Amino acid sequence: MNSKLNDIHFSTDDWEFSYRVGGLLYRNGKLLLQHNRGEEEYSVPGGHSSFGEFTEETLAREWMEETGAAVNVG
């Protein structure tokens, strides 16, 4: 399944809505952030949710894709 085709994303001439989820990992006084090469911004690991996908499923899938780590969402 191509999740891009099922992403929850709507747009009109005047606005855009994109449903995304992100997760925070805070341990030993440090916060895990991601940084894409060539970009100035930092963000929390996460991504677009697909139609029919629970938020917890999205977060676990995105963390695996972006960090390679399996997580328990709580």
Side-chain angles (χ1 to χ4, degrees), residues 3 5 7-8 11 23 25 33 35 37-39 47 52-53 59 65-66 68 72 74:
S3 65
L5 296 176
D7 285 353
I8 301 173
S11 61
L25 176 62
L33 297 174
H35 179 256
R37 290 186 181 135
E39 295 183 16
E53 185 175 48
L59 192 54
E65 289 175 8
E66 304 207 10
N72 293 319

Side-chain angles (χ1 to χ4, degrees), residues 4-73:
K4 290 268 184 220
L5 296 176
N6 296 313
D7 285 353
I8 301 173
H9 180 258
F10 306 95
S11 61
T12 69
D13 291 337
D14 300 322
W15 59 271
E16 183 173 351
F17 173 83
S18 178
Y19 183 68
R20 297 175 53 86
V21 297
L24 297 174
L25 176 62
Y26 183 77
R27 182 179 293 163
N28 298 327
K30 297 179 181 180
L31 180 65
L32 177 66
L33 297 174
Q34 69 181 31
H35 179 256
N36 294 323
R37 290 186 181 135
E39 295 183 16
E40 295 182 27
E41 296 85 17
Y42 287 81
S43 61
V44 297
H48 290 98
S49 189
S50 297
F51 283 105
E53 185 175 48
F54 289 105
T55 302
E56 294 86 353
E57 294 171 322
T58 302
L59 192 54
R61 176 179 53 78
E62 288 290 342
W63 269 72
M64 178 58 75
E65 289 175 8
E66 304 207 10
T67 68
V71 296
N72 293 319
V73 179

